[in-house]
Amino acid sequence: MKIGFFSARPYDRQFFDAANAAVGHDIEYFEDRLTHQTASLAAGFESVCCFVNDDLGAAAVERLAAGGTRLIALRCAGFNHVDLSAARRFGVAVARVPAYSPNAVAEHTVALMLALNRKIHRAYNRVREGNFSLDGLLGFDFAGKLIGVVGTGQIGAIVVRIMHGFGCCVLAHDVQPNPECERLGALYVPLEELLARSDVVTLHCPLTPQTRHLINAERLALMKAGVMLINTSRGALVDTRAAILALKTGRLGALGIDVYEEESGLFFEDLSNRVIQDDVFTRLLTLPNVLVTGHQAFFTAEALAKIAEVTLENVRAFETGSGTLHLVSPPT
Ligand code: NAD
């Protein structure tokens, strides 16, 4: 099938070309993000392949459909950036990669926790400048601390397992408790209790209308003074402005994020020669107890190989009607 591949980066080509050698789709790579303005590039392509910051709002989906696209093959798990009702209305199917490497995201989550706690980002810069002072680098032992895990699906469950290995106690919150986490000793409690008791809170639930700004000013006020908050799920789970205020008062002792609510147009681009216009984001970058990575939690060789394999299998299954097709939304 002809695939118009948006937001293509060199590493995407590397892994998709390797996986496609066995499948033989006709892939054309576009560096552009998919938006309603760039959707016309896909005219004549039966399928498009998109990533997390492509804009698949109604206007873009309508243009894709007008150009003959019948399948949006997402090369990610989340689909909060797709207008599914528009896709249904215009007869475009949407498929995704439901799981690729939950280990990749869970391990990055723990990397943020450890780095923030022991101030590795600050120590790295200090030592390079010949400053070996330890002032300001004091951390704590993770062993014995209470870790609050919100969302215990594939990724959250691995975080529970890893933190259990560190000797932590885990409080969990999910709309559907996971027996595997209960077996590890995680105690399911209401969100408010988890927030009030945890030393570290880490978010692993999807972004939905119910979870948008799950961590807002009121919930931050419930949290322990000096708590560490980690978000590797979706940016809009956290009200960033409220988090900045909480960092200023010390309510939040540390913030580690791999995702940001206004990340599209920022992340995955080299903006090092430009002035970043987002003042909320640049404020975050000035704080010593904030560690930001640019949506790289998924970025391991194992995850990219799996993403390419499952995405191309989705396209093949859609084309042939056989095999496994991970549909989010069928065409109507
Ligand atoms: P999953 O579907 O396996 O687990 C999500 C869990 O959240 C489920 O157990 C679900 O019941 C729970 N949940 C849903 N609504 C909830 C609510 N209101 N309160 C509490 N829990 C709720 O998903 P996953 O594979 O573990 O992924 C989790 C999130 O990680 C994804 O939604 C995605 O946004 C994000 N993610 C980020 C990256 C990255 O690179 N940073 C990569 C992959 C996934």
Side-chain angles (χ1 to χ4, degrees):
M1 193 178 242
K2 266 185 97 178
I3 306 174
F5 194 109
F6 283 83
S7 301
R9 296 292 176 268
Y11 46 82
D12 291 315
R13 282 173 182 252
Q14 181 191 335
F15 283 90
F16 273 82
D17 284 348
N20 197 37
V23 196
H25 292 299
D26 178 7
I27 306 179
E28 188 161 338
Y29 294 98
F30 304 115
E31 283 180 19
D32 309 67
R33 259 180 80 216
L34 178 66
T35 65
H36 69 281
Q37 281 128 338
T38 60
S40 53
L41 284 171
F45 288 81
E46 296 155 285
S47 67
V48 292
C49 182
C50 302
F51 196 45
V52 292
N53 286 333
D54 287 310
D55 174 2
L56 289 151
V61 174
E62 182 174 9
R63 285 211 183 160
L64 289 174
T69 297
R70 294 184 297 125
L71 173 68
I72 295 169
L74 299 172
R75 54 181 191 279
C76 55
F79 49 89
N80 52 284
H81 55 310
V82 186
D83 188 329
L84 293 179
S85 51
R88 261 181 233 112
R89 208 163 53 247
F90 295 111
V92 180
V94 181
R96 68 178 184 132
V97 182
Y100 34 95
S101 175
N103 292 305
V105 184
E107 289 168 15
H108 190 79
T109 301
V110 177
L112 287 176
M113 285 182 199
L114 297 181
L116 269 171
N117 175 33
R118 304 306 289 267
K119 283 86 176 166
I120 302 297
H121 52 305
R122 301 186 66 199
Y124 172 81
N125 286 325
R126 273 192 199 184
V127 168
R128 285 169 71 93
E129 292 190 1
N131 176 356
F132 304 103
S133 158
L134 298 184
D135 289 341
L137 302 186
L138 189 66
F140 56 79
D141 285 10
F142 265 95
K145 291 293 178 299
L146 259 182
I147 312 296
V149 180
V150 181
T152 51
Q154 301 177 83
I155 295 168
I158 297 173
V159 172
V160 170
R161 178 153 44 80
I162 296 173
M163 298 321 292
H164 181 71
F166 271 79
C168 296
C169 302
V170 176
L171 292 178
H173 174 74
D174 197 304
V175 287
Q176 231 178 333
N178 180 338
E180 186 197 331
C181 296
E182 288 178 312
R183 266 196 302 281
L184 282 170
L187 182 66
Y188 280 86
V189 294
L191 180 61
E192 280 65 28
E193 182 180 345
L194 179 149
L195 297 178
R197 291 176 58 194
S198 300
D199 299 298
V200 176
V201 173
T202 182
L203 307 178
H204 301 289
C205 54
L207 177 61
T208 63
Q210 292 74 39
T211 61
R212 185 174 192 83
H213 287 185
L214 183 84
I215 302 298
N216 56 18
E218 293 77 52
R219 296 233 167 87
L220 283 160
L222 297 175
M223 294 168 86
K224 264 183 152 172
V227 64
M228 179 190 291
L229 175 64
I230 304 288
N231 184 11
T232 58
S233 280
R234 283 292 178 267
L237 293 178
V238 176
D239 178 345
T240 314
R241 285 186 168 80
I244 290 172
L245 287 177
L247 284 158
K248 285 167 75 177
T249 62
R251 169 69 55 182
L252 265 188
L255 175 68
I257 55 173
D258 185 54
V259 286
Y260 168 59
E261 47 185 331
E262 302 296 337
E263 70 179 50
S264 63
L266 270 183
F267 287 4
F268 310 120
E269 309 292 337
D270 178 359
L271 303 181
S272 52
N273 289 319
R274 304 220 209 130
V275 174
I276 292 176
Q277 299 296 320
D278 182 332
D279 293 344
V280 175
F281 185 71
T282 51
R283 180 71 180 107
L284 274 181
L285 298 183
T286 65
L287 301 171
N289 47 353
V290 173
L291 189 46
V292 181
T293 52
H295 210 136
Q296 70 170 84
F298 73 99
F299 199 57
T300 66
E302 289 81 357
L304 290 195
K306 185 79 180 166
I307 287 169
E309 180 200 317
V310 175
T311 304
L312 296 181
E313 171 58 17
N314 277 339
V315 176
R316 199 191 67 80
F318 180 81
E319 186 179 25
T320 63
S322 68
T324 310
L325 173 57
H326 300 96
L327 274 183
V328 180
S329 165
T332 50

